Amino acid sequence: MNLPTPFQKKTLWAAATGGGMFLIGAMVVIVIALIGRVLGFLSPILIPIAVAFIAAFLLDPVVRWFQRRRLSRTKAVITVMSLVMLAAVLFGLLIVPTAVRDIGRITDAESRGKLITNIGDKLNSAKEHPVFAPVVKWLAEDPSNPTGETSATPESLPAPETETPDSAPTPEVAVTNDKESISWQKSRLVNWLKDNSGVMGKKALDILRSGGSTVIGLISTLIGLIMTPIFVFFFLQEAEGIRKHWHEYLPLRASGFKDEIVDVLGEINSYLVAFFRGQVVVSLIDGILTGIALKALGLPYAISIGIALAVLGIMPFI
C-alpha cells in the first residue's frame, strides 16, 4: 500500500483547510443576512428599545444625583422623566415652530434670494465697521496708484424705451359647431378610458397598497412613541440592579479569570460612558453657543443652525 508523500499530505491539508474556511465564511455571511432580515422585521420594536436605552444611559447620572438628595429610586426616576417631558414640551412649543418656519424659508426660492441679499448687506455693513474698515481699505489699495484716484468712465446709458401698443390685433378664430365639438370630445374621452383602463386600475391598486403601508408605518411610529417613555422608565428603575448584578450573567464559572474579565469590562464601560456623555455635552454646548452667536449677529436661521449643529454632532457617536 502506497502512503501519500509529505507533499501530498501538505496539499490535502491545505485544501481541507481552505474548504473549511470557505464554509465557515459562507455560514457567517448567511447568519449575518438572516440577522439583518430579522432585525429589519423587528425594527418597529427594536428602535424604541434602542432609543429608550440611550435615553436611560444619559439620564441615569441625573437620577443618581436626585437619589443623593434623599429621594427614592422611583421618585427620582419620576422626577427626572417629568422634567424631561416638560423640557420636550417647551422645546416643541418654542423652538420647533421657528425651525420649521426657517426650513420653509430655505426651501422657497424667493426667500433664498432675500437671504442672499441680506447676507450681502451684512457683509457690506461689516466692511464699514471701525475695526474692519482699515483692513478692507488696505486690502483694496492698488500699489500702482497709492493716491486712490480713479479715472472717470462714462456710465452706460439705459436702453431707450420702446413704446408698445396697448393692444395688439388678434387673429380671427374660426367658430366651429358646438354639437360636433362636444361629440368629438366625448368620443375622445371614451377612447382614452378604454386604452388606459388597465394602467389606471394598476395605479389605483398601487396607491391603495402604498396607502396601507403608510397607515401601518404611522401606527407603528405612534406605538413606538408611546412605548419609548415606558421603556425609559423601566430601564432607569432597574439600572441600579443591572449595574450591581450584571456580572452574574456571564457564562463563566467563579474564578480569578472571571473577576479579571469583570474588572476589565467595567473599566471599559466606565470610559465609554464618560466619553459618550462628554461628547453629548460638547455637542449641546456647540449648538447653543452657535445659535446665540448667530442670533446676536443678527443673521437669519440662527436657531435652526444651532439645533442642526447639536443634533448632527451627537449622531456619529450614537
Side-chain angles (χ1 to χ4, degrees):
M1 181 177 180
N2 294 326
L3 296 175
T5 61
F7 176 76
Q8 291 173 340
K9 291 180 180 179
K10 187 177 180 180
T11 303
L12 291 173
W13 180 253
T17 304
M21 293 179 65
F22 176 78
L23 290 176
I24 292 173
M27 291 174 63
V28 169
V29 171
I30 293 171
V31 169
I32 292 175
L34 291 175
I35 292 175
R37 290 191 176 185
V38 172
L39 292 178
F41 180 74
L42 297 177
S43 59
I45 301 173
L46 296 178
I47 290 177
I49 294 175
V51 173
F53 178 79
I54 294 172
F57 181 76
L58 296 174
L59 296 176
D60 184 61
V62 185
V63 174
R64 281 188 282 173
W65 184 84
F66 277 104
Q67 277 188 289
R68 289 194 293 270
R69 300 302 182 273
R70 301 193 178 181
L71 284 178
S72 64
R73 183 76 183 183
T74 303
K75 291 182 179 179
V77 171
I78 293 174
T79 303
V80 170
M81 292 196 65
S82 300
L83 293 175
V84 170
M85 290 182 179
L86 179 61
V89 171
L90 293 177
F91 181 82
L93 294 177
L94 301 177
I95 306 298
V96 172
T98 304
V100 171
R101 185 171 61 252
D102 291 344
I103 293 172
R105 290 175 181 174
I106 293 173
T107 55
D108 184 33
E110 183 178 356
S111 299
R112 282 201 304 269
K114 291 180 180 179
L115 173 63
I116 294 172
T117 304
N118 190 13
I119 292 174
D121 295 339
K122 293 289 183 182
L123 293 176
N124 291 329
S125 63
K127 292 179 182 179
E128 300 174 359
H129 195 274
V131 176
F132 301 110
V135 179
V136 174
K137 183 179 179 181
W138 177 74
L139 292 174
E141 188 177 86
D142 188 1
S144 62
N145 187 16
T147 59
E149 296 179 356
T150 57
S151 59
T153 57
E155 296 179 356
S156 59
L157 297 176
E161 297 181 358
T162 57
E163 295 184 359
T164 56
D166 294 337
S167 60
T170 56
E172 296 183 0
V173 180
V175 180
T176 58
N177 192 296
D178 293 340
K179 293 183 178 180
E180 293 179 357
S181 176
I182 293 173
S183 62
W184 177 78
Q185 292 177 3
K186 286 183 178 180
S187 62
R188 186 178 179 183
L189 178 61
V190 171
N191 292 331
W192 184 85
L193 290 174
K194 288 180 180 179
D195 296 335
N196 296 277
S197 59
V199 178
M200 291 176 63
K202 185 178 179 181
K203 287 185 178 180
L205 289 175
D206 292 339
I207 291 172
L208 290 175
R209 289 172 184 171
S210 61
S213 61
T214 303
V215 171
I216 293 172
L218 180 61
I219 293 173
S220 63
T221 302
L222 292 176
I223 293 174
L225 291 175
I226 295 171
M227 294 300 296
T228 299
I230 298 174
F231 290 145
V232 173
F233 177 82
F234 282 106
F235 280 148
L236 288 175
Q237 183 71 19
E238 300 298 330
E240 192 171 3
I242 294 172
R243 191 184 306 109
K244 291 180 179 179
H245 303 287
W246 68 270
H247 56 85
E248 297 177 1
Y249 300 100
L250 289 177
L252 296 172
R253 62 183 180 86
S255 61
F257 178 69
K258 181 179 180 179
D259 295 338
E260 186 175 353
I261 287 183
V262 169
D263 293 338
V264 171
L265 291 178
E267 196 74 15
I268 292 172
N269 180 68
S270 63
Y271 281 112
L272 288 177
V273 167
F275 175 77
F276 182 76
R277 288 174 180 158
Q279 292 300 325
V280 170
V281 173
V282 169
S283 298
L284 293 176
I285 293 174
D286 286 343
I288 293 171
L289 293 181
T290 303
I292 293 173
L294 294 178
K295 195 71 176 177
L297 292 173
L299 293 175
Y301 314 125
I303 296 176
S304 301
I305 293 172
I307 294 172
L309 183 62
V311 173
L312 295 176
I314 298 172
M315 282 301 171
F317 302 101
I318 293 178

